[in-house]
Amino acid sequence: MAPWIGALGAALFVTVFLIDGATRPGYSPARHTVSALALGPRGWLQRANFLACGAAITAGAVGLLTSGGHRMLGLVLTIFGLALVASVIPMDPMRGYPPGTPDGDPGEFSPAHSLHDGAGAIVFFALPVIAVVSAFALPGVAWTVGAILVTIVLMAALAAFQRGWQEDSPTTGTAQRAVLVPGLLWVAAVFLAFS
């Protein structure tokens, strides 16, 4: 597979969750996470988004590896894509979504929720690693400076998201999107640089 398929997967993932989140009844993009979109009657759309876009990113990463691209970057992108696919394992209904779900967290999380959290941790921590590795993998000062800036943005946004999640902040979803949008757009740019 050509690396450009990974760029398409990354850009499509962002497009789908932004549009679906903005138009989903009872869903608050400011408060709720992207993974919550996989719940409820329209949840199939986000589940398909996890699977299709994660598979496209993985295919693009394998294409990068087999075409003689940077091995470490290809490996980290592969791990990221596979973790995105694994994120299809559903989180528990919580924090008022889907509509009718009690506010707050359940007393005990299901095994599926724990697996989802594990996959999500890999997704979120892989994004700054991808940015750091790309600073060494891509030639030129502009790529290096861009990678450093993206890494700083991602680390700050990741800290805000972790804090917001732990505190059940009304802006948890916004903080999560502050990680996902620049992180995935950077992933798309990196794939295009090798296309």
Side-chain angles (χ1 to χ4, degrees):
M1 281 285 181
W4 65 263
I5 194 82
L8 180 64
L12 186 61
F13 187 79
V14 171
T15 303
V16 169
F17 79 66
L18 287 176
I19 293 171
D20 190 27
T23 60
R24 180 82 66 96
Y27 177 87
S28 168
R31 180 183 185 202
H32 298 122
T33 62
V34 169
S35 293
L37 288 169
L39 304 172
R42 216 163 87 183
W44 65 269
L45 183 58
Q46 181 56 35
R47 290 191 300 273
N49 198 26
F50 279 131
L51 291 173
C53 295
I57 290 168
T58 304
V62 170
L64 181 63
L65 285 169
T66 58
S67 68
H70 194 275
R71 284 214 174 284
M72 181 59 76
L73 183 59
L75 179 61
V76 176
L77 285 165
T78 300
I79 292 167
F80 173 76
L82 291 172
L84 200 61
V85 168
S87 296
V88 76
I89 299 167
M91 67 180 289
D92 292 339
M94 57 194 301
R95 301 183 180 183
Y97 193 82
T101 301
D103 226 16
D105 296 345
E108 188 175 326
F109 290 114
S110 69
H113 184 92
S114 298
L115 289 171
H116 177 85
D117 275 357
I122 294 169
V123 165
F124 284 100
F125 289 110
L127 285 171
V129 172
I130 291 166
V132 169
V133 173
S134 66
F136 299 96
L138 297 167
V141 174
W143 279 109
T144 303
V145 170
I148 291 168
L149 292 174
V150 168
T151 302
I152 291 167
V153 167
L154 292 178
M155 294 304 292
L158 189 55
F161 171 51
Q162 287 178 314
R163 192 169 45 254
W165 178 260
Q166 290 168 353
E167 298 170 358
D168 189 11
S169 166
T171 59
T172 301
T174 301
Q176 186 192 49
R177 284 158 176 76
V179 179
L180 288 174
V181 173
L184 282 154
L185 293 180
W186 183 258
V187 166
V190 167
F191 274 124
L192 289 175
F194 286 97
S195 295

